[in-house]
């Protein structure tokens, strides 16, 4: 993002659509017409071909055990989510409603993040942006909407229906709320991280979900450290009963 005279230039290196970028910034499309300038037309890029799971390797036993102990994801859920490894990272396949693998998120364990390495990123340019994860065509009417793919899998390991969105916690495009409605979801409890981004993200999600007629409730952490999340709670107490 940079300013060029009286213009603001925005470029997304992950290949997100223009509308996704302005929504992530909290700017409505109509705001661009206030100075007599119409918003640029949406450029619809052809979808990238599905990714074969052959590009990732199975998780070794030590990695599966680490995910169970430190991320609270059962081996049953790891197998269901088709977790693997690639590029020295945990590979998290992301699929669409038809079951096509549209992205693979590559997550790096905290102790391996050196020299400013990213915590998580998409498989390749053009596959980023906000997507629902994990999508289940026969999903329940009520879900917990959390922050992060691994947090969602940790909740599912406790038999709690959960969803998240890939990409930034501060972004929740209206199309995502529409997708949740189309999946038949009627009630959502929003449980993000215990920080300012989590609070703002919760409020944004409630607003967008209610626009679609979905009953949305925000849940906020009390008496927890800054940055506390679902996985921290499960590691400490074995469940999330205290917050839910």
């Amino acid at each position: 993002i940079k300013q060029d005279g009286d213009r603001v230039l925005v470029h997304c290196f992950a290949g997100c659509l223009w509308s996704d970028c302005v929504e992530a910034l909290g700017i409505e499309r109509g705001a661009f017409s206030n100075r007599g300038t119409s918003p640029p037309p949406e450029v619809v890029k052809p979808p990238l071909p599905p990714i074969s799971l052959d590009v990732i390797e199975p998780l070794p036993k030590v990695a599966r055990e680490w995910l169970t102990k430190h991320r609270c994801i059962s081996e049953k859920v790891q197998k269901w989510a088709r977790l693997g490894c690639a590029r020295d990272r945990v590979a998290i396949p992301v699929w669409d409603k038809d079951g096509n693998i549209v992205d693979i998120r590559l997550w790096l364990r905290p102790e391996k993040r050196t020299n400013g390495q990213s915590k998580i990123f998409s498989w390749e340019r053009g596959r980023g942006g906000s997507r629902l994860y994990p999508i289940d065509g026969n999903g329940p009417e009520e879900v917990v909407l959390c922050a992060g793919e691994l947090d969602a899998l940790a909740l599912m390991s406790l038999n709690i229906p959960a969803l998240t969105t890939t990409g930034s916690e501060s972004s929740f495009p209206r199309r995502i709320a529409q997708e949740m409605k189309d999946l038949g979801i009627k009630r959502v409890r929003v449980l993000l991280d215990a920080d300012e981004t989590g609070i703002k993200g919760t409020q944004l999600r409630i607003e967008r979900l209610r626009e679609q007629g979905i009953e949305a409730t925000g849940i906020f952490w009390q008496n927890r450290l800054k940055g506390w999340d679902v996985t921290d709670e499960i590691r400490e107490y074995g469940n999330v009963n205290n917050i839910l």
Side-chain angles (χ1 to χ4, degrees):
I1 305 172
K2 70 176 182 179
Q3 187 170 354
D4 178 24
D6 62 352
R7 299 183 303 167
V8 175
L9 306 181
V10 179
H11 176 74
C12 178
F13 287 91
C16 300
L17 296 176
W18 177 81
S19 58
D20 289 334
C21 293
V22 296
E23 284 208 40
L25 294 169
I27 304 171
E28 299 294 337
R29 286 175 63 95
F32 286 85
S33 63
N34 291 342
R35 300 187 61 179
T37 303
S38 299
E42 187 67 82
V43 176
V44 180
K45 298 179 181 179
L48 294 172
I51 305 174
S52 170
L53 286 180
D54 292 341
V55 300
I56 65 176
E57 299 290 335
L59 280 173
K61 181 179 179 181
V62 64
R64 297 196 306 271
E65 292 175 346
W66 189 93
L67 286 171
T68 299
K69 179 179 180 180
H70 296 281
R71 297 299 308 192
C72 307
I73 303 172
S74 68
E75 290 213 24
K76 178 181 178 181
V77 170
Q78 291 179 39
K79 183 177 180 180
W80 174 83
R82 294 167 281 184
L83 300 185
C85 58
R87 307 177 196 174
D88 296 324
R89 291 170 176 257
V90 175
I92 309 169
V94 179
W95 58 90
D96 62 17
K97 60 182 177 60
D98 299 316
N100 300 308
I101 304 299
V102 293
D103 191 10
I104 297 177
R105 303 279 283 167
L106 298 170
W107 182 82
L108 189 63
R109 286 165 51 170
E111 68 273 15
K112 295 185 177 183
R113 296 171 200 163
T114 59
N115 301 321
Q117 289 178 295
S118 298
K119 171 183 176 181
I120 190 169
F121 54 78
S122 290
W123 184 256
E124 62 184 342
R125 183 175 178 178
R127 295 190 185 273
S130 294
R131 289 191 176 93
L132 275 178
Y133 175 86
I135 292 179
D136 188 344
N138 298 313
E141 293 186 354
E142 181 172 338
V143 300
V144 174
L145 184 60
C146 61
E149 297 90 338
L150 298 184
D151 280 353
L153 296 179
L155 287 171
M156 294 176 69
S157 298
L158 295 175
N159 295 316
I160 298 173
L163 281 173
T164 189
T165 55
T166 61
S168 171
E169 187 178 352
S170 61
S171 174
F172 192 74
R174 286 185 169 85
R175 60 177 174 78
I176 296 292
Q178 178 66 57
E179 288 177 23
M180 293 180 68
K181 179 181 179 181
D182 294 341
L183 289 171
I185 296 171
K186 297 181 179 179
R187 294 176 297 279
V188 176
R189 290 180 287 178
V190 184
L191 178 58
L192 303 187
D193 296 352
D195 53 28
E196 184 177 352
T197 301
I199 293 172
K200 292 181 178 179
T202 297
Q203 294 167 341
L204 176 62
R205 283 156 175 75
I206 291 173
E207 175 187 328
R208 297 282 165 87
L209 290 168
R210 288 177 177 175
E211 288 176 357
Q212 297 297 328
I214 297 174
E215 181 183 327
T217 304
I219 302 176
F220 301 94
W221 299 98
Q222 302 292 330
N223 303 317
R224 297 291 188 267
L225 298 173
K226 183 178 180 180
W228 193 264
D229 61 19
V230 164
T231 301
D232 292 323
E233 186 79 2
I234 298 173
R235 271 199 305 259
E236 183 71 18
Y237 300 105
N239 55 61
V240 289
N241 296 341
N242 292 330
I243 185 68
L244 293 183

